[in-house]
Amino acid sequence: MTAAGFGWATVITTAGAALQGSVGFGYGVFAVPFLLLIEPAFVPGPMLAAAFLLTLALTGRERRGVRVDDLKWSLGGRVLGIVAALWVLATVSPEHLTMLMGGLILVAVALSASGLHIAPAPTSLVGAGALSGFMSTTVSSGGPAIALLYQKESGGRVRGTLSAFFTVGTAMSIAGLYFIHRFGAREIALTGALLPGTAVGYLLSRRIASALDRGYMRASVLVLSAVAGAIVVVKDLL
C-alpha cells in the first residue's frame, strides 16, 4: 500500500470510529465503501478485526448501558446470520450481494421514518441479529440492521448494548472467516493499517456522543443508515 493510501485509510477509519463511538454503530457502514476503493482486501477480515478492538473499548466505556437480556436474543440470531454468510462467501462473490443489502437498509430506514417502530423484543432481536450477522460477515456493515431497533432508546443504552453485541458477534464472524480460510497473516497485517485511525476516532467520539445525547440520537441513526444504504446501492450501480 502506498503512503497516500495509508493516509486516506487513516482519515476514513478516524471518521468511522468517531461515528461508532458516538452513535453506537457506523464504523463499517461509513468506512467500507471508501476502503474498498483503496484496497479491497480490507473487507471483510481486517475491517472486522479493527472493529472488534474498537467495540471492545466502547463496551468497557459504555458498560452501564448494556442490556444483557437483549444480547441473549440478538446474539442467537447473529449465529444464524453468520452460518448463512459463510455459506454464501464460500460459493458466491460478495459483490453480487451489495445491491440487495443496500436496498434492505433503505427499506428499514423508510419504515422507521414512517413512524412504525419495532421495539427490541425477542422476535425482532433474533431477526435483526441474524441480518446483522449476515451483513457483517459478508461486507462488514451490519450496524443498521440492529441499530434501527434502538432508535428511540437512550444514547447510553444504544452505545452500550450495540457495542457488546458487536464485540461478541464480530469475534464470531472472524472465527468463521478463519474457518473458511478468509482470515490469515495478510488480513492481520492489513488490520494494523486501520488501527491508528480507529484509535483516534475512539478518542474523539466521547465529545460527539455528549452532543448527540441531547435529543439527536434517533435522527442520527436514521440519517446514517440512509446514507449507508445509498452508498452501497450507488457503488454497485457504478
Side-chain angles (χ1 to χ4, degrees):
M1 184 190 306
T2 65
F6 175 77
W8 279 114
T10 300
V11 171
I12 292 164
T13 51
T14 296
L19 287 170
Q20 180 99 15
S22 55
V23 179
F25 78 108
Y27 185 63
V29 294
F30 176 82
V32 165
F34 301 108
L35 290 178
L36 283 172
L37 299 177
I38 299 172
E39 173 52 73
F42 275 135
V43 182
M47 272 293 300
L48 286 174
F52 169 77
L53 296 175
L54 172 64
T55 56
L56 184 63
L58 290 172
T59 301
R61 192 182 79 186
E62 304 287 348
R63 58 188 177 278
R64 293 182 180 178
V66 177
R67 297 295 185 269
V68 177
D69 287 342
D70 289 5
L71 294 176
K72 291 186 294 186
W73 295 103
S74 59
L75 287 172
R78 174 101 182 191
V79 173
L80 300 176
I82 290 172
V83 171
L86 293 177
W87 179 82
V88 169
L89 285 173
T91 57
V92 180
S93 174
E95 288 79 7
H96 294 173
L97 302 171
T98 54
M99 178 66 76
L100 173 61
M101 293 176 181
L104 288 173
I105 293 172
L106 293 176
V107 169
V109 172
L111 288 173
S112 299
S114 71
L116 177 63
H117 174 52
I118 303 175
T123 302
S124 60
L125 285 165
V126 170
L131 183 57
S132 178
F134 182 81
M135 296 176 69
S136 289
T137 308
T138 51
V139 293
S140 307
S141 298
I146 190 74
L148 286 169
L149 297 183
Y150 291 91
Q151 59 180 294
K152 292 187 178 181
E153 305 294 337
S154 66
R157 182 180 182 184
V158 173
R159 290 189 297 272
T161 305
L162 290 187
S163 293
F165 170 79
F166 291 133
T167 298
V168 179
T170 300
M172 293 178 182
S173 296
I174 293 171
L177 291 174
Y178 176 80
F179 179 76
I180 63 170
H181 308 292
R182 293 287 295 270
F183 191 85
R186 186 189 182 199
E187 285 74 23
I188 292 173
L190 286 172
T191 300
L194 303 179
L195 294 183
T198 302
V200 173
Y202 168 76
L203 294 174
L204 292 174
S205 65
R206 185 183 293 274
R207 179 169 297 183
I208 300 173
S210 63
L212 291 176
D213 283 347
R214 299 169 189 164
Y216 302 106
M217 181 57 68
R218 180 175 183 272
S220 300
V221 170
L222 292 177
V223 170
L224 185 55
S225 297
V227 170
I231 289 174
V232 171
V233 171
V234 171
K235 181 179 180 298
D236 192 67
L237 291 174
L238 297 176

